[in-house]
Amino acid sequence: MSFASLCKWKKSIGIKSKRLEVVVNVMLLLIVLLVGVIGYNKYMTNKENNMYKSLGKMVKVNSKCMSVYVEGSGDKILVFMSGSGTCSPILDFMTLARELNNDYKVVIVEKFGYGFSDTTNTKRSLEVILEEYRLALKAAGVEGPYVLLPHSMSGIEALYWAEKHPEEIEGIIGLDMAVKETYADFEPNTAFLGMGTFVARTGILRFIPGAAESDAIKYGNLTDKEQDMYRAIFYQKTQTSNMVNEIKRIKNNANSLGSYEELNTPVLLFSSNGKGTGFEPDFWKKCQKDFINKVPNGQMIELKCSHYIHDIEYKKIAEEINIFLDKQCVSDE
């Protein structure tokens, strides 16, 4: 609808009340602004498309494309699993991956709705997500066993994987990962999710100062080109339907996990100060401590930084991972 047609519409309804006229004028202004924002977002999206090229392999999973980044070599295969809403898992994990790819094969799987992968309407149950991970790795020619490195919410997925297919998992290295108890009383704010989706889809997100300046950009070692690519992906892959559906289902997914006491997989858990998790810091850390105390073969390292620890304390984390995996190699002999 053009501005001229809006004015004609306003005249045709014959507004007489001054108060009503003010309300209508404000509504007209908002509509014009929104149309302008949507148009600008479309223009910028088309302009950024030349940067939107996968850094990894594009593989077919259930007739859709998933992005899998593979780098380095070694006896251990490290599979990174992103947290909820991380728009570009490959670039988010890249800083830490570069610290590890000389000694290990590093793999970053971008789930549907994330990074360079397609967005789908498939349900986000743990069974479905796990099968997609496994099919993507198989299609990329990466055979286990694996060491899983889940961040945040994907801790639930990693624990489920180790529970259902323990023969495929050599260890879990939690990057401030969530655990079952984290979501025991969790109820998603559907109004907030809906508003977030609206802001992302219309392009209003582009006008929020600093919104795209992730910790990967602030603290990591991404190149200027990679930083620009991260921002471009951010505006296209924020609040996708897959991300929203994962959040809505996370409580049920977490509750489907079994007992930690039966987890035979070695676990190294890096813990943040709890800030930036979306939960009360003390609650977040308590859940992790209670978890690690129940795991038969687990240890925890506390870090004095916020939630995206792999972007901030990547050197220390890489050092501790080397120590942990060296010990595992000795114990396997």
Side-chain angles (χ1 to χ4, degrees):
M1 184 179 287
S2 67
F3 180 74
S5 60
L6 286 171
C7 292
K8 288 181 180 179
W9 169 78
K10 174 186 169 184
K11 186 176 181 180
S12 69
I13 62 176
I15 297 173
K16 295 181 180 180
S17 167
K18 286 288 184 181
R19 183 176 296 177
L20 180 59
E21 183 175 7
V22 170
V23 171
V24 172
N25 284 337
V26 170
M27 288 178 61
L28 290 176
L29 178 60
L30 290 176
I31 291 172
V32 170
L33 287 174
L34 183 59
V35 170
V37 167
I38 293 172
Y40 177 74
N41 183 52
K42 186 175 181 180
Y43 165 77
M44 289 301 297
T45 298
N46 291 334
K47 185 177 179 181
E48 292 163 348
N49 277 339
N50 65 327
M51 289 188 287
Y52 204 76
K53 297 177 182 177
S54 178
L55 296 170
K57 299 180 180 180
M58 296 302 293
V59 300
K60 284 287 185 179
V61 174
N62 298 327
S63 76
K64 293 287 187 177
C65 289
M66 281 185 74
S67 169
V68 182
Y69 177 86
V70 182
E71 186 82 32
S73 60
D75 295 333
K76 299 289 184 183
I77 301 174
L78 312 187
V79 177
F80 287 82
M81 305 165 70
S82 66
S84 172
T86 300
C87 66
S88 179
I90 289 176
L91 291 172
D92 181 58
F93 287 128
M94 186 64 77
T95 294
L96 179 56
R98 284 174 173 149
E99 296 289 319
L100 297 167
N101 62 18
N102 286 331
D103 301 304
Y104 313 103
K105 178 176 284 188
V106 171
V107 183
I108 305 171
V109 180
E110 296 191 312
K111 293 183 292 184
F112 285 130
Y114 290 73
F116 300 104
S117 295
D118 288 344
T119 298
T120 70
N121 293 317
T122 54
K123 67 178 183 178
R124 297 289 86 194
S125 67
L126 284 177
E127 294 89 346
V128 170
I129 293 172
L130 175 55
E131 190 59 19
E132 290 170 354
Y133 272 125
R134 297 174 76 218
L135 288 172
L137 289 169
K138 182 178 180 181
V142 181
E143 296 184 3
Y146 313 110
V147 177
L148 304 180
L149 285 82
H151 173 239
S152 197
M153 194 171 79
S154 64
I156 303 301
E157 298 159 10
L159 292 169
Y160 184 76
W161 197 338
E163 179 182 313
K164 295 300 179 182
H165 301 282
E167 74 285 355
E168 296 181 1
I169 309 303
E170 286 189 300
I172 295 176
I173 299 174
L175 301 173
D176 206 31
M177 74 178 194
V179 295
K180 181 177 182 177
E181 287 72 20
T182 307
Y183 302 105
D185 299 314
F186 178 76
E187 294 297 338
N189 187 327
T190 54
F192 180 78
L193 289 175
M195 180 60 68
T197 301
F198 174 78
V199 168
R201 296 294 169 275
T202 56
I204 294 173
L205 191 62
R206 291 183 183 273
F207 296 88
I208 300 177
E213 303 304 298
S214 68
D215 284 349
I217 292 175
K218 293 177 184 177
Y219 304 107
N221 58 19
L222 299 181
T223 65
D224 291 343
K225 182 178 179 181
E226 288 169 341
Q227 291 181 22
D228 289 340
M229 183 182 291
Y230 194 107
R231 296 182 184 100
I233 296 171
F234 175 80
Y235 293 123
Q236 291 197 35
K237 289 293 179 73
T238 292
Q239 287 289 97
T240 65
S241 58
N242 293 89
M243 293 175 182
V244 173
N245 291 334
E246 284 175 4
I247 294 172
K248 289 181 177 179
R249 197 180 176 94
I250 186 58
K251 182 177 181 178
N252 289 334
N253 282 345
N255 287 337
S256 68
L257 291 176
S259 171
Y260 298 140
E261 287 82 354
E262 299 175 2
L263 182 65
N264 295 319
T265 305
V267 177
L268 171 62
L269 173 57
F270 292 97
S271 177
S272 74
N273 59 17
K275 295 179 180 179
T277 62
F279 294 86
E280 286 295 322
D282 289 342
F283 170 76
W284 179 266
K285 292 189 289 185
K286 182 181 185 303
C287 289
Q288 291 180 330
K289 288 178 180 178
D290 290 346
F291 160 77
I292 211 68
N293 287 334
K294 294 177 183 177
V295 175
N297 188 7
Q299 65 180 99
M300 186 167 79
I301 297 174
E302 296 186 58
L303 302 172
K304 297 179 180 179
C305 65
S306 56
H307 189 41
Y308 278 76
I309 58 174
H310 48 279
D311 292 320
I312 305 170
E313 289 282 5
Y314 56 91
K315 288 190 178 294
K316 179 176 177 56
I317 291 172
E319 291 172 1
E320 295 293 345
I321 286 175
N322 285 327
I323 295 170
F324 174 73
L325 293 180
D326 283 346
K327 288 180 180 179
Q328 291 308 120
C329 289
V330 172
S331 63
D332 290 343
E333 292 177 355

